[in-house]
Amino acid sequence: MSKSTGSSSDYLISLVWLGAVVYGLGIFLSNAYAIRLQAIEEFGTVIHEFDPYFNWRATQYLYENGAKKFFTWFDHKVWYPLGRPVGSTIYPGMQFTAVYLKNYVFGDSMSLNDICCYIPVWFGVLATIIVGFIAYEASLPVNTGGSIFGVLLSALCGQYADDKSMASSGSASRIFGLSSPAVESAVFAMGFMAVVPAHLMRSVGGGYDNESVAVTAMTLTFYLWMRSLRSQDQYGYLFGFLAGVAYFYMVAAWGGYIFVLNLIGAHAASLVLLGRFSTRVYLSYTLFYVVGTSLAIQVPVVGWAPLKSLEQLAPCAVFFGYQILQYCEIVRKKKKMSRKEAWKFRIQVAVVSLMIAALLIVAITPKTYFGPISSRVRGLFVPHTKTGNPLVDSVAEHQAASNQAYWQYLHILCYLAPVGLAMVLFRFGDSASFLVVYSLTAYFFSHKMVRLVLLTAPIASALGGIAVGRFVAWSVSSLIGENNDNADLTTEKKNDDVKQTKSNGKSKKKKDKKSTSSKDSFAGVTAICGGFAEASKSTEGKVIKTVTAIVMLGSLYMQGNAFKDYSWQLSASLSNPSIMLKGQLRDGTVIKVDDYREAYWWLRDNTPDNARVMAWWDYGYQITGIANRTTIADGNTWNHEHIALLGKALTGSVEEGYSIARHLADYVLIWGGGGGDDLAKSPHLARIANSVYRDHCPGDVTCRAFGFVDRQGTPSKMMENSFLYTLHSHKLKAGVVADPDKFKEVFRSKYGKVRIYKLLGVSRQSRSWVENNRECDAGGWFCPGKYPPGLKEILDKKKDFAQLEDFNRGASDEDYQKEYFENLNNPNLARKRAQQKANDEGRETNEVPQPSVEAKALSDEEKIQIYSTWENTEDTTLMWKLVTSDAIEDLEQWLKIDPGAAWLRSADGRGPMWWAFESKNQDAVTLLMKLGVPHTDKDKNGLSPVDLLKE
């Protein structure tokens, strides 16, 4: 074939390749957009969940009043009677983004509500694109010329490879300077990110939550940081400046910016340990940190936290460490120090710096300069649900992630991401090494808190894209006859040659010896690779490569389709707005249950503008966002003691609850109808109340006395007498009637999901006192309220909750924390304590009920009803603990009084039989089989109990 013919053929192949890339991008990005629109197409432009309603209300206020008033907005419609300074306690990036789009992009063509609903969709697609750039950067030949083992060995030997030696020759430049397999890796990374459920969970249409914007800001920051480290780019460090700007947007959008800051700081530190510190790396991190921190402290809710909070001081330490290292490098080069002299000088400078730092820390620590570690962050380093704070422990998404959760949200990426990580380790570089640090960190934190599985979406997609991209590139190259097999050998030889030329003076012989030793260390691997390369050139080898390539492409195609179908199927449930539900009538008719909005609309249309509504804090954002009425608490949860007061009112006796409510509210809103209603949550409410009001459940820190005693919903005595239970079950259960002199039911939703009561005998004196006794600061806008004198008797009983991290205040509550942890860590001990307390006082507990009479046998219909109900409850949690901890006696006691508990199933479709097989608890298996519980049924993922035993 002539040279011109070969050139034409290569150009044609490149055009076909480019067309395939563009086609793939079109398919993946259209999927990214369409899959996130499902909620809007089915339910309309409806904002989802709880927190997004606060974001919507804040956006509306910013749009109508401007930035100046927004940052001095003290909202008296929330956290009554205290209020909340919204503008200075919010991460406003998403709100400013929405208002900017409204004012300067869409104008009157799109309503502010619709923009808020579409923002998660738009930013979800942007995040998809950026993740592709991350995979591209980590796969470029200029960034992937080494291996982790070679880099570590060189660092240990004191021979640090330069940028040129870290470049790979194992990639093909196709067209327009685009490299293969970097482009393929980018395209498939976008394909995964487009539909991966771990990202969909926070980016579906209507999910107007901070994370929907923050993930895009986070990935942009990561990409620009990686781009600033690109080898052989003289001015690449300037991207460190842009990374700092992107980080500022991340800070403005979400409190998770702490993860981004610490991750980049950790990577910068690891580059030093790997011997990759250089002027380029120094400038990149310095620009990032200085620019990012300078801008971050401008966000009111952040302030000086980057320089004071213990959670953010590690990157600050890395920054100062970089300054010391660079100073040492400048002096070393200027004085032409030997290696021994340079290390001696570095140690001297480090010792002096550490002494100065120690003196500063000793001087400022007593002055409470350093901020504490929050309970949520501290909870990432202890087993859940054991942070010591019952308010944090009550949130489901703060629980630890299970293997099933990873499979549910990442699916096939659980297998592909580790393969991609291995490829990165063997094709290593400064930029690519970031993915290693990111993957390990994201896995650690997501394993501790299921909500943080979100953080794994970008890294899993990038690594999965790298794996598939390289597989596809190799397969296509094999089919069209391209040969890059000797790339690694060439690179290795190149690295060795560079190392050899660095030898000089008296140290030449020593360096040559080390270089030869390094080369010999990989001689075996090199020989094996060379053998495979030679074998693949034979006729048989080419046939095997061709067959392997076809099989690999076919397998990846089928697995990719399966992943896409799975993601689309799961996205249907993720797209449910929760404020609206789909239901089915007995005749099979599918309906939309809109009870919650109906209740809020009723409040908006039928109550005075200044009406105060008492409800559990979950619903506060929706009440203010839709009904525009004053609430007692909401999802901001900034004041533990105030929420405890609300919990005490709801889970205390009717008389006690009413005596609190009449001073704070005009109406009481209750969620009913089963499932996750107020009664299901009420044990958490009682525990939170008891953390501040110790007389609520005296001697019982986890309030085992409050709850249900069996599967039939029989309440304990404390629950039965409670304010919440009375209003929840008013005229629904025999003998339960709310006092007509205190309560008047004014609204019941169509399907019974919400009930609203008007409080009678409300204290007008307390209302007037609150309105007339707000204290404003010198600025005139910060005007917090006070509790009315009518609550003094109850407030005098409270003990401010002291979290474990409150060391600066000198506050502690060791006895409470000790017993709280003991009860959560050892439910058997908690049961015994609660039971003993109940026996002493003649009351009931809800922890593994003790049978007084033999329970009646369940009918088949009752078993089916229990078995077909999949939900996470207090009972399923307790059952899991008993089965997995081999507490057979307690399990037998429970099943004697409540045989239906054997048929419980959690939201993932698993129940006690699954857990018994998984923990290899033969006694529990035998006990459950005697009760007729099957062991061949499937859970949500199609696994039977026996399958778990095989694993």
Side-chain angles (χ1 to χ4, degrees):
M1 181 183 292
S2 67
K3 185 175 180 179
S4 59
T5 304
S7 177
S8 299
S9 176
D10 291 342
Y11 185 71
L12 179 61
I13 290 174
S14 296
L15 287 178
V16 173
W17 174 84
L18 182 61
V21 167
V22 173
Y23 177 77
L25 286 175
I27 292 294
F28 292 147
L29 294 181
S30 63
N31 266 277
Y33 189 74
I35 197 171
R36 288 167 172 79
L37 277 183
Q38 283 191 99
I40 294 176
E41 291 176 346
E42 185 166 357
F43 295 96
T45 49
V46 176
I47 292 175
H48 296 194
E49 302 293 342
F50 302 106
D51 291 7
Y53 276 94
F54 164 74
N55 294 325
W56 153 247
R57 184 164 176 261
T59 304
Q60 195 174 33
Y61 187 93
L62 174 63
Y63 177 67
E64 294 174 353
N65 297 277
K68 185 177 180 179
K69 286 189 176 180
F70 177 81
F71 284 119
T72 57
W73 175 26
F74 196 98
D75 190 1
H76 289 288
K77 279 189 171 294
V78 299
W79 290 87
Y80 182 86
L82 307 177
R84 174 192 171 187
V86 178
S88 58
T89 60
I90 185 179
Y91 293 94
M94 184 172 62
Q95 285 77 12
F96 274 85
T97 300
V99 171
Y100 177 85
L101 291 174
K102 172 65 176 174
N103 287 335
Y104 300 105
V105 178
F106 295 104
D108 296 334
S109 65
M110 199 170 191
S111 70
L112 187 62
N113 176 84
D114 290 357
I115 291 173
C116 293
C117 288
Y118 275 92
I119 275 181
V121 180
W122 297 331
F123 277 78
V125 176
L126 286 176
T128 298
I129 296 172
I130 297 170
V131 166
F133 282 113
I134 289 175
Y136 181 78
E137 192 66 32
S139 304
L140 283 174
V142 75
N143 290 329
T144 57
S147 74
I148 182 63
F149 307 107
V151 171
L152 287 174
L153 186 59
S154 295
L156 290 173
C157 295
Q159 295 177 317
Y160 305 145
D162 60 19
D163 284 352
K164 291 183 178 179
S165 65
M166 292 294 286
S168 170
S169 60
S171 298
S173 180
R174 292 288 187 184
I175 190 171
F176 302 136
L178 298 175
S179 296
S180 174
V183 171
E184 290 91 333
S185 298
V187 171
F188 285 107
M190 292 184 196
F192 286 123
M193 189 67 176
V195 296
V196 65
H199 187 216
L200 288 177
M201 62 191 279
R202 294 289 179 174
S203 63
V204 296
Y208 186 58
D209 214 344
N210 297 68
E211 291 93 326
S212 63
V213 168
V215 171
T216 305
M218 178 179 73
T219 53
L220 180 60
T221 305
F222 290 161
Y223 167 70
L224 292 171
W225 166 247
M226 292 175 65
R227 178 62 183 84
S228 73
L229 301 177
R230 182 183 291 184
S231 297
Q232 303 181 31
D233 187 345
Q234 184 179 359
Y235 299 105
Y237 62 85
L238 294 176
F239 283 91
F241 175 90
L242 297 178
V245 176
Y247 168 69
F248 164 63
Y249 185 54
M250 172 69 196
V251 173
W254 188 35
Y257 75 89
I258 296 173
F259 171 79
V260 175
L261 177 63
N262 280 279
L263 183 58
I264 292 180
H267 182 234
S270 70
L271 289 175
V272 175
L273 297 178
L274 292 172
R276 298 297 302 157
F277 180 82
S278 64
T279 300
R280 172 174 49 80
V281 174
Y282 163 76
L283 290 173
S284 294
Y285 186 73
T286 299
L287 282 172
F288 161 76
Y289 188 82
V290 171
V291 172
T293 302
S294 300
L295 293 173
I297 62 178
Q298 308 305 318
V299 180
V301 70
V302 176
W304 291 99
L307 302 177
K308 297 177 67 174
S309 172
L310 292 179
E311 300 162 0
Q312 303 176 55
L313 288 182
C316 182
V318 173
F319 169 74
F320 284 110
Y322 262 47
Q323 309 314 307
I324 294 170
L325 280 174
Q326 185 66 7
Y327 169 72
C328 292
E329 284 298 294
I330 292 173
V331 174
R332 179 185 68 81
K333 293 177 181 178
K334 184 177 181 181
K335 296 185 176 182
K336 298 181 180 179
M337 293 180 177
S338 66
R339 184 183 175 195
K340 183 177 180 180
E341 291 172 336
W343 271 108
K344 183 179 179 180
F345 179 68
R346 289 177 189 136
I347 292 172
Q348 290 174 343
V349 173
V351 169
V352 173
S353 301
L354 288 174
M355 291 176 63
I356 295 174
L359 289 174
L360 286 174
I361 293 172
V362 170
I364 63 181
T365 297
K367 298 180 180 180
T368 68
Y369 174 83
F370 295 115
I373 298 175
S374 70
S375 60
R376 285 180 174 86
V377 172
R378 180 174 48 77
L380 295 173
F381 298 93
V382 297
H384 280 280
T385 54
K386 305 173 180 66
T387 69
N389 186 334
L391 178 56
V392 175
D393 294 343
S394 70
V395 182
E397 61 185 14
H398 290 165
Q399 310 311 305
S402 62
N403 291 336
Q404 180 197 350
Y406 284 110
W407 179 254
Q408 178 181 0
Y409 290 113
L410 296 176
H411 200 253
I412 196 175
L413 289 176
C414 291
Y415 299 110
L416 289 176
V419 175
L421 179 61
M423 290 180 174
V424 169
L425 290 175
F426 282 97
R427 295 184 178 275
F428 203 66
D430 293 350
S431 293
S433 65
F434 176 76
L435 298 189
V436 178
V437 179
Y438 184 5
S439 61
L440 297 177
T441 307
Y443 174 75
F444 174 82
F445 288 117
S446 64
H447 184 69
K448 292 292 185 177
M449 186 184 293
V450 69
R451 176 185 182 182
L452 297 182
V453 170
L454 170 71
L455 298 177
T456 67
I459 182 62
S461 298
L463 291 176
I466 289 172
V468 174
R470 289 193 177 276
F471 284 145
V472 170
W474 178 86
S475 299
V476 172
S477 295
S478 297
L479 292 176
I480 64 177
E482 288 184 347
N483 185 11
N484 292 318
D485 295 316
N486 293 320
D488 293 333
L489 298 177
T490 304
T491 301
E492 184 63 37
K493 184 178 185 301
K494 181 182 177 183
N495 288 345
D496 290 334
D497 291 341
V498 171
K499 291 174 185 175
Q500 293 286 347
T501 60
K502 290 185 177 179
S503 301
N504 59 67
K506 295 180 180 180
S507 63
K508 180 176 180 180
K509 183 176 180 181
K510 187 175 181 180
K511 287 189 177 183
D512 286 347
K513 184 177 179 181
K514 289 179 180 178
S515 181
T516 303
S517 174
S518 176
K519 182 177 179 180
D520 291 342
S521 300
F522 294 95
V525 176
T526 303
I528 293 173
C529 293
F532 276 113
E534 289 299 321
S536 66
K537 295 178 181 179
S538 66
T539 304
E540 295 82 357
K542 291 179 179 179
V543 171
I544 293 174
K545 283 178 63 176
T546 301
V547 172
T548 302
I550 293 173
V551 172
M552 187 177 292
L553 289 174
S555 176
L556 289 174
Y557 177 78
M558 290 188 291
Q559 292 296 326
N561 271 334
F563 175 66
K564 183 197 71 172
D565 294 340
Y566 169 83
S567 298
W568 273 90
Q569 183 180 3
L570 187 60
S571 71
S573 59
L574 294 175
S575 298
N576 194 313
S578 79
I579 198 170
M580 296 172 64
L581 305 172
K582 268 190 173 183
Q584 191 171 22
L585 300 178
R586 293 180 179 178
D587 61 2
T589 304
V590 177
I591 60 171
K592 289 181 180 177
V593 179
D594 205 3
D595 282 25
Y596 306 115
R597 291 200 302 171
E598 287 177 6
Y600 304 142
W601 289 332
W602 185 91
L603 283 171
R604 180 194 63 193
D605 298 335
N606 295 277
T607 62
D609 291 343
N610 63 349
R612 303 161 298 172
V613 182
M614 174 177 282
W616 184 233
W617 61 271
D618 279 354
Y619 327 131
Y621 284 151
Q622 292 181 344
I623 293 171
T624 52
I626 299 176
N628 196 28
R629 294 296 179 265
T630 301
T631 58
I632 310 302
D634 56 41
N636 184 249
T637 64
W638 66 275
N639 190 315
H640 185 105
E641 289 72 25
H642 187 72
I643 288 183
L645 177 63
L646 176 58
K648 185 172 179 61
L650 293 173
T651 59
S653 67
V654 174
E655 288 298 327
E656 183 179 42
Y658 175 76
S659 67
I660 296 173
R662 66 184 296 269
H663 293 287
L664 296 175
D666 304 296
Y667 295 87
V668 180
L669 183 145
I670 304 292
W671 272 27
D677 67 4
D678 284 345
L679 278 190
K681 302 169 186 172
S682 58
H684 290 299
L685 278 61
R687 280 196 282 273
I688 295 168
N690 193 62
S691 67
V692 173
Y693 296 92
R694 304 298 165 79
D695 64 330
H696 195 61
C697 302
D700 181 12
V701 297
T702 46
C703 277
R704 305 288 173 175
F706 190 100
F708 297 108
V709 300
D710 55 38
R711 281 290 300 170
Q712 283 68 46
T714 305
S716 65
K717 198 69 176 176
M718 184 179 179
M719 174 183 270
E720 186 177 21
N721 294 332
S722 69
F723 180 94
L724 175 60
Y725 183 85
T726 300
L727 298 186
H728 178 281
S729 304
H730 170 64
K731 292 184 179 180
L732 295 179
K733 294 190 176 181
V736 182
V737 179
D739 188 341
D741 294 329
K742 295 182 173 68
F743 311 99
K744 178 183 179 182
E745 185 175 12
V746 293
F747 176 82
R748 184 183 300 187
S749 62
K750 183 176 181 179
Y751 297 104
K753 292 290 185 181
V754 185
R755 306 179 78 174
I756 299 176
Y757 295 85
K758 180 178 175 61
L759 285 169
L760 305 178
V762 170
S763 174
R764 296 182 179 178
Q765 183 179 1
S766 291
R767 175 194 279 274
S768 299
W769 190 93
V770 169
E771 292 176 354
N772 296 325
N773 286 273
R774 292 171 180 153
E775 294 185 353
C776 298
D777 65 357
W781 70 270
F782 188 84
C783 305
K786 298 179 180 180
Y787 292 107
L791 292 175
K792 184 178 185 304
E793 183 178 348
I794 293 172
L795 294 174
D796 286 343
K797 298 178 183 178
K798 77 181 177 71
K799 180 177 182 179
D800 288 350
F801 184 71
Q803 300 185 144
L804 293 181
E805 66 271 12
D806 290 340
F807 56 85
N808 277 340
R809 299 190 311 175
S812 66
D813 197 352
E814 293 182 1
D815 292 339
Y816 171 85
Q817 293 288 351
K818 180 180 178 182
E819 187 174 349
Y820 180 85
F821 277 110
E822 285 180 351
N823 283 8
L824 290 178
N825 287 321
N826 191 337
N828 297 327
L829 176 62
R831 176 186 61 79
K832 292 176 182 178
R833 283 178 173 173
Q835 189 62 43
Q836 183 62 46
K837 187 75 175 178
N839 292 338
D840 293 342
E841 299 182 2
R843 60 180 172 83
E844 303 175 47
T845 74
N846 72 316
E847 184 70 33
V848 187
Q850 305 297 309
S852 55
V853 295
E854 193 72 20
K856 67 176 183 179
L858 290 176
S859 66
D860 290 340
E861 289 77 10
E862 288 174 320
K863 292 178 182 178
I864 293 173
Q865 183 178 1
I866 297 172
Y867 200 60
S868 60
T869 301
W870 296 7
E871 61 182 356
N872 295 325
T873 65
E874 289 277 310
D875 284 343
T876 56
T877 300
L878 177 59
M879 177 61 74
W880 177 83
K881 290 179 179 179
L882 294 180
V883 173
T884 56
S885 62
D886 198 23
I888 295 300
E889 291 184 4
D890 291 334
L891 182 61
E892 287 179 334
Q893 291 276 11
W894 187 5
L895 296 180
K896 282 181 181 179
I897 191 172
D898 182 16
W903 300 83
L904 288 171
R905 298 180 76 175
S906 58
D908 59 7
R910 296 185 180 182
M913 186 63 82
W914 278 265
W915 302 323
F917 270 89
E918 187 175 27
S919 59
K920 297 180 175 59
N921 189 335
Q922 183 60 46
D923 292 335
V925 171
T926 302
L927 178 61
L928 293 168
M929 283 186 172
K930 287 181 179 179
L931 295 173
V933 181
H935 63 279
T936 56
D937 287 347
K938 306 290 186 180
D939 66 6
K940 189 174 183 179
N941 292 316
L943 297 176
S944 69
V946 177
D947 293 330
L948 299 183
L949 183 62
K950 294 177 182 177
E951 292 182 351

